Amino acid sequence: MNLMQKNEYMRARLVVKPEVEAAKAALDKERTVDTWYDYGMALSHAGRSEEAVDAYSQGLVEYPFSSMLYFARGRRFMGPKQYDRAIADFTMALRLEPDVYLYWYYRAVTNNLRGDYAAAIYDFRQALRFTQPLERYCIIDWLFTCYVEAGDKEGARKVLDEIEDDLPSPDMDYDYKQRVRLYKGLETPETLIDRDEIRKHVPDPMDDLRLDITTLLFGQYVYYLYHDEQEKAGQVLLEILKDPYEGAFATVKARAAAKERGLI
């Protein structure tokens, strides 16, 4: 499996949503890295995150050199803000497969969430080394955010020159592409959120788009922060928290920013 194929495979594994009973039956039939991973994902989507951690841990007993199971368990530690444990697992995944950009990416996100912007920037830079241009909108977006949050507006501005204006991108990165377009001046805060356009990139007709809208709203917040429009930035944070999509990185960051501003 070459690097491009590996990246495509890992992106696909991020969004699997098996039913618990079906995943458990598959695991009982054959105990592999994939069936342990799917079982953990099924438990997670059923709201049984602690059981998912236990499943991944048991999978690692049987497959102690599985980077994917370390990665999967690390993601589960992010929700309850067990950031040190998440970083430990992502680091193990990277020791085993250092060329998987998603492992760098999630460790970078975790570093950002705990406020270590320098470490996050380093990890995002490493992630860029192992991606194709069309995979980079999410990384460029996070890099821009890191620099803005660190108070380095010049660094943020320079990051935008590292990606072309309108590359094709995976559907799962549509929101990040839109945010980068906003930062580049190709969109405005008023045109950023278009439900009909979002729907073209969301394959599940039952999806209510709340995650996408929350993600895009946080992009508006970063935009206003970059342009030093503090009142508008605060208003967007409150808009996100009016009906928060729990578990979204944008919600976690919006709540922390709102508390820091004394808005909640």
Side-chain angles (χ1 to χ4, degrees):
M1 188 181 298
N2 63 36
L3 184 58
M4 184 180 297
Q5 292 170 328
K6 188 182 295 185
N7 284 343
E8 290 175 355
Y9 174 77
M10 287 302 303
R11 281 200 304 272
R13 300 300 278 151
L14 283 178
V15 295
V16 297
K17 295 183 179 180
E19 297 294 331
V20 173
E21 289 185 4
K24 184 62 166 63
L27 179 65
D28 289 340
K29 183 177 180 180
E30 185 178 16
R31 297 162 77 93
T32 67
V33 168
D34 281 341
T35 56
W36 274 116
Y37 179 90
D38 286 349
Y39 182 49
M41 288 289 282
L43 290 168
S44 177
H45 285 297
R48 296 157 62 178
S49 189
E50 291 185 4
E51 292 177 67
V53 168
D54 290 341
Y56 294 134
S57 297
Q58 183 57 45
L60 284 164
V61 170
E62 298 179 17
Y63 296 94
F65 301 108
S66 169
S67 62
M68 191 161 70
L69 292 178
Y70 277 114
F71 170 67
R73 190 174 68 177
R75 291 180 69 206
R76 297 281 65 80
F77 286 137
M78 294 175 73
K81 299 182 181 180
Q82 298 180 43
Y83 296 142
D84 289 345
R85 299 182 74 178
I87 286 173
D89 274 353
F90 295 143
T91 301
M92 281 299 300
L94 285 165
R95 293 286 177 87
L96 292 162
E97 283 194 281
D99 62 346
V100 178
Y101 87 90
L102 281 172
Y103 299 168
W104 289 107
Y105 176 84
Y106 272 86
R107 194 173 78 169
V109 171
T110 307
N111 276 316
N112 175 280
L113 292 175
R114 67 175 186 170
D116 191 342
Y117 303 124
I121 288 169
Y122 173 83
D123 283 350
F124 283 126
R125 289 282 176 205
Q126 296 304 307
L128 281 175
R129 295 173 54 207
F130 303 108
T131 58
Q132 302 296 315
L134 60 83
E135 299 168 322
R136 293 175 183 164
Y137 277 109
C138 57
I139 301 172
I140 294 298
D141 177 281
W142 274 101
L143 276 170
F144 182 86
T145 300
C146 284
Y147 281 114
V148 170
E149 290 177 325
D152 184 356
K153 291 187 179 181
E154 180 61 17
R157 185 193 64 77
K158 290 180 179 178
V159 163
L160 298 178
D161 294 333
E162 297 183 38
I163 194 165
E164 295 178 27
D165 285 350
D166 200 17
L167 293 169
S169 65
D171 280 344
M172 67 187 301
D173 289 345
Y174 169 78
D175 300 337
Y176 289 117
K177 178 177 177 178
Q178 283 296 95
R179 283 167 42 155
V180 171
R181 285 175 55 81
L182 173 66
Y183 308 148
K184 280 174 167 275
L186 302 173
E187 298 284 346
T188 68
E190 294 74 27
T191 62
L192 184 66
I193 301 174
D194 181 333
R195 284 180 173 269
D196 291 337
E197 190 62 31
I198 297 170
R199 177 58 68 192
K200 295 177 184 178
H201 302 273
V202 178
D204 182 359
M206 300 303 293
D207 191 315
D208 62 5
L209 307 185
R210 287 177 63 224
L211 174 58
D212 300 89
I213 291 170
T214 299
T215 302
L216 290 167
L217 281 172
F218 193 80
Q220 287 184 355
Y221 164 74
V222 175
Y223 172 86
Y224 288 132
L225 199 62
Y226 177 65
H227 289 282
D228 201 26
E229 297 185 54
Q230 299 299 333
E231 184 177 350
K232 289 183 178 179
Q235 290 171 355
V236 174
L237 292 177
L238 293 177
E239 179 68 20
I240 292 171
L241 299 176
K242 187 187 302 181
D243 183 23
Y245 187 97
E246 299 299 342
F249 296 144
T251 301
V252 173
K253 291 183 65 62
R255 186 170 284 121
K259 286 181 178 178
E260 185 176 342
R261 289 168 172 259
L263 297 175
I264 58 173

